[in-house]
Amino acid sequence: MYRSPFKASSTQTTAFKKKGSWAAGYHTGVDRVSSNTALVSPADGTVQRNEYNASYGNMVIITTTDGKSILMAHMKEKSKLKVGSTVKKGDAVGTMGNTGHSFGAHLHIEVQNSKTWAYNKNLLAPNSYIDWKDTTSKSSYPTPVKWQNGRTKETVFEQNNLKEELGSLSAKEATQCYGKAGDGYIVVYELNGTDKHKAGFVKYAGGVTKAPTAGKTWTNGSTKETVYADTAKRTEVGVLNPKESCTCLGKIDGMHLVLYKVDGTSNYKCGFVAYAGGC
């Protein structure tokens, strides 16, 4: 569940899919009001759009790390967030307002099952994804930083000892660095031909001067958990034993990115697991 975009309790004023004179013939999100007008990001993600729209007024769209789009509209002023920047759950977004096609200050919020927002497409019921009672939680995942390749192809490795090849990054390709283990930088990059992602270790720093640190503790259940190199589950890279604990670095495409020690060695692997493990 995402947290509330408000810092205090809020009240719903217009329900999702309520029929009316809207262009879609019904309400595409929910409207809510709060005595505290500050607005924050409900989830970790990336700023997809930040603009003024005749209907939505000052609006921000966030692409979440689990592949959804969250639209927040009618804000009092244009948000200070930059398009393409990373946001964490609980980061400031703006202030509840009355801009665009609006009758009284409120927040209009939509959740779509797509990484790219489009009007009246892939709509999800916001109340099924947002915990409106959660007005305080923040993300403890490390914030990824930009990794930029140089002029040559860069090999991606399965382990941080940089000996088992897993894939490669093209010259000048840009992606995200989620941390560092030994000599290996942990990168997450697009899986060719899909909207999914792949993870591994690279030797080249890619302009990263300070790799992200920390993360959440991930603890396995009573059965083995398969670790995949990619969120499409195309390539298996290992398993986590029952009750094994490791570090979770983030949630991407609905799966959890974990960093764990390879049994009987001092090496580390990273990959994606479906089980939440308490994260």
Side-chain angles (χ1 to χ4, degrees):
M1 294 288 283
Y2 306 133
R3 64 153 286 168
S4 171
F6 293 105
K7 292 184 176 181
S9 61
S10 60
T11 302
Q12 180 171 292
T13 55
T14 308
F16 176 59
K17 287 293 183 78
K18 178 182 178 180
K19 293 182 179 180
S21 59
W22 296 280
Y26 52 81
H27 197 227
T28 52
V30 298
D31 291 347
R32 295 186 74 96
V33 296
S34 175
S35 59
N36 186 332
T37 59
L39 299 174
V40 301
S41 178
D44 296 346
T46 304
V47 180
Q48 182 186 141
R49 291 167 64 175
N50 177 10
E51 60 196 55
Y52 181 86
N53 177 279
S55 296
Y56 287 106
N58 292 312
M59 66 180 220
V60 164
I61 300 173
I62 295 169
T63 302
T64 67
T65 55
D66 60 346
K68 307 289 192 298
S69 289
I70 298 177
L71 174 143
M72 300 169 65
H74 304 309
M75 292 188 297
K76 184 177 181 180
E77 299 170 338
K78 185 178 179 180
S79 175
K80 295 180 180 180
L81 295 175
K82 294 182 179 179
V83 173
S85 65
T86 298
V87 291
K88 304 290 283 182
K89 179 168 64 174
D91 283 354
V93 172
T95 305
M96 186 179 77
N98 187 32
T99 57
H101 190 200
S102 171
F103 300 95
H106 70 283
L107 171 68
H108 172 87
I109 189 165
E110 297 179 10
V111 181
Q112 293 190 1
N113 189 26
S114 173
K115 291 182 179 180
T116 304
W117 181 89
Y119 179 70
N120 195 29
K121 300 288 186 181
N122 306 301
L123 295 172
L124 298 170
N127 292 347
S128 296
Y129 289 84
I130 299 172
D131 180 0
W132 296 104
K133 294 181 180 180
D134 179 4
T135 57
T136 60
S137 68
K138 296 182 179 181
S139 176
S140 60
Y141 289 132
T143 302
V145 295
K146 183 180 179 179
W147 183 96
Q148 176 74 59
N149 200 11
R151 297 178 180 178
T152 60
K153 185 168 67 173
E154 181 71 13
T155 302
V156 180
F157 297 91
E158 189 174 306
Q159 299 188 34
N160 73 319
N161 62 0
L162 307 175
K163 290 184 178 180
E164 297 181 39
E165 294 188 13
L166 183 65
S168 64
L169 291 164
S170 303
K172 300 298 182 181
E173 184 172 352
T175 187
Q176 297 289 313
C177 173
Y178 276 77
K180 188 179 182 184
D183 294 327
Y185 290 87
I186 303 166
V187 292
V188 175
Y189 57 104
E190 291 184 358
L191 183 62
N192 289 342
T194 75
D195 61 353
K196 303 297 183 180
H197 292 81
K198 195 171 183 178
F201 298 93
V202 294
K203 183 177 181 179
Y204 182 55
V208 176
T209 56
K210 186 176 181 180
T213 59
K216 295 183 179 182
T217 298
W218 183 97
T219 303
N220 200 10
S222 58
T223 59
K224 287 186 176 181
E225 182 70 15
T226 302
V227 183
Y228 298 92
D230 54 87
T231 58
K233 299 183 180 180
R234 289 182 178 179
T235 305
E236 295 183 13
V237 290
V239 295
L240 291 166
N241 297 319
K243 304 302 181 182
E244 183 175 352
S245 293
C246 60
T247 302
C248 183
L249 303 178
K251 189 176 182 183
I252 301 164
D253 301 335
M255 298 186 72
H256 292 82
L257 175 65
V258 294
L259 174 69
Y260 64 102
K261 201 168 187 177
V262 181
D263 289 345
T265 76
S266 60
N267 299 326
Y268 284 86
K269 282 187 177 183
C270 65
F272 297 97
V273 294
Y275 181 58
C279 292

